[in-house]
Amino acid sequence: MKINPNKCVACGNCTYVCPMGAIYIDPVVKRATVNSTECVECYACFNGLSQEHLNPTIVRSMRKVFQWMRLRFDPEPDVCPTAAFEPDPLSWPRVVRRAFSDPRVPHESTGVEGRGTEEVKTNDISGRVKVGEVGFTIEFGRPGVGVWFRDMQKMCWALAKAGVSFEKKNPVTSLMSDIATGTLREDILNEKVLSAIVEIMVPVERTEEIVRLVWAVEKEIETVVAIGVGTRCGEDGEDTVVGPVLERLGYNLQRAKTNIGLGRITNRSAEQNYAEMARK
Ligand code: SF4
Ligand code: SF4
């Protein structure tokens, strides 16, 4: 993201909308400036503010005149008065930032917008999490902290070492150069994104081990980590296997999303799994 210094009138409106705090008024040039290292290309500044097309010279002059009179001339808070934002076309690997940070951009690997994964929201038809399994979503960077891929790599390495299976239809997995070791592509490690999700599947017996592993790695990386857990309920709609483990680990469980079984399975292996379940 770029701000045209010839257009910016340093009203400061954009500094409040940047989730990364990457926009600041440079006291030397007296213009809003983007810290490109911290900018995750979410486009919240460009899309979130209405772009007006006032003449920058006139606006600056008015602001000066009003200042002399000890008054203020400020644009409405949701406006960039001079349409000073001029996004650069993004090339690889920087384009990865936008793919993970702008919720309106679909991921090439999955076609899903935002962080690019359906997680277990569509488990009824995808059958990602099968009977006897737990699907973990390990979410980095939210809210408003962001995450570097080099930090996510540390988590992926630890998970791979523990022998978990990474969800193939997940954008972070699609950026791995070696899925067996959880190694991400070298050229994206110094890219930062607003948030991202790693998805894994393990047998239910490994729930506690995985939570403890995530806790340990979280301490070594500079971001926030949230754990989501997806599992299958019994016929009465209750979970008596995974929930008690999580409660014992100190979590106050809140059920967030429930698939109620109205979807039709489209995944062959999951279909076989259901057939097995029915036989039992
Ligand atoms: S909103 Fe526009 S004019 Fe105001 S500081 Fe930001 S870029 Fe400059
Ligand atoms: S694109 Fe997003 S992160 Fe970058 S400066 Fe704009 S609001 Fe901040």
Side-chain angles (χ1 to χ4, degrees):
M1 184 57 66
K2 287 272 164 60
I3 293 172
N4 183 338
N6 298 323
K7 288 188 177 177
C8 175
V9 296
C11 69
N13 278 356
C14 52
T15 59
Y16 301 106
V17 300
C18 176
M20 291 289 99
I23 308 179
Y24 60 100
I25 305 290
D26 187 328
V28 179
V29 292
K30 295 193 175 61
R31 299 284 185 271
T33 309
V34 176
N35 175 343
S36 61
T37 307
E38 291 300 320
C39 169
V40 294
E41 307 291 358
C42 69
Y43 279 43
C45 48
F46 182 69
N47 293 323
L49 294 172
S50 301
Q51 309 285 317
E52 285 184 349
H53 293 268
L54 302 180
N55 182 305
T57 312
I58 294 174
V59 176
R60 278 188 210 117
S61 308
M62 283 176 72
R63 281 166 67 81
K64 269 201 185 123
V65 170
F66 275 68
Q67 223 174 1
W68 286 331
M69 292 159 38
R70 292 189 172 274
L71 294 169
R72 290 175 69 109
F73 173 67
D74 284 332
E76 291 296 307
D78 56 347
V79 161
C80 175
T82 52
F85 284 94
E86 293 177 357
D88 271 344
L90 298 173
S91 56
W92 185 266
R94 194 161 177 100
V95 70
V96 170
R97 295 190 183 220
R98 187 164 185 216
F100 280 85
S101 308
D102 184 344
R104 303 173 326 153
V105 175
H107 273 260
E108 274 182 30
S109 57
T110 59
V112 178
E113 292 160 358
R115 276 92 50 84
T117 170
E118 294 174 350
E119 307 157 42
V120 288
K121 294 185 200 95
T122 53
N123 207 59
D124 275 0
I125 55 167
S126 71
R128 275 188 188 191
V129 178
K130 303 177 191 71
V131 176
E133 286 182 339
V134 173
F136 279 95
T137 52
I138 301 156
E139 179 178 348
F140 303 82
R142 202 162 71 151
V145 176
V147 58
W148 296 92
F149 277 98
R150 56 177 181 256
D151 276 336
M152 267 191 281
Q153 169 147 280
K154 287 182 190 159
M155 187 70 80
C156 294
W157 275 342
L159 292 167
K161 210 168 163 197
V164 307
S165 66
F166 292 99
E167 166 56 47
K168 289 196 174 58
K169 289 185 185 159
N170 171 283
V172 176
T173 311
S174 76
L175 291 169
M176 287 180 183
S177 55
D178 183 0
I179 196 168
T181 60
T183 303
L184 296 171
R185 290 177 58 138
E186 184 80 29
D187 51 0
I188 60 157
L189 295 180
N190 287 327
E191 297 302 331
K192 185 178 183 182
V193 296
L194 194 55
S195 66
I197 294 178
V198 167
E199 284 174 275
I200 57 164
M201 233 76 68
V202 290
V204 284
E205 309 80 65
R206 297 193 67 190
T207 303
E208 177 167 351
E209 174 201 342
I210 297 299
V211 172
R212 290 192 182 280
L213 183 152
V214 172
W215 285 353
V217 180
E218 184 189 12
K219 292 190 182 75
E220 296 167 17
I221 59 180
E222 290 176 27
T223 186
V224 287
V225 177
I227 303 177
V229 178
T231 190
R232 300 189 66 93
C233 296
E235 283 185 4
D236 59 354
E238 296 299 329
D239 158 50
T240 53
V241 183
V242 178
V245 176
L246 297 174
E247 278 173 340
R248 188 158 43 76
L249 288 169
Y251 289 101
N252 175 15
L253 292 186
Q254 304 289 334
R255 196 184 281 200
K257 295 158 190 166
T258 303
N259 293 310
I260 56 172
L262 295 178
R264 208 179 64 181
I265 198 81
T266 56
N267 174 322
R268 178 116 186 89
S269 59
E271 205 169 8
Q272 285 164 350
N273 196 268
Y274 285 158
E276 263 172 43
M277 196 171 77
R279 272 200 300 279
K280 283 177 195 162

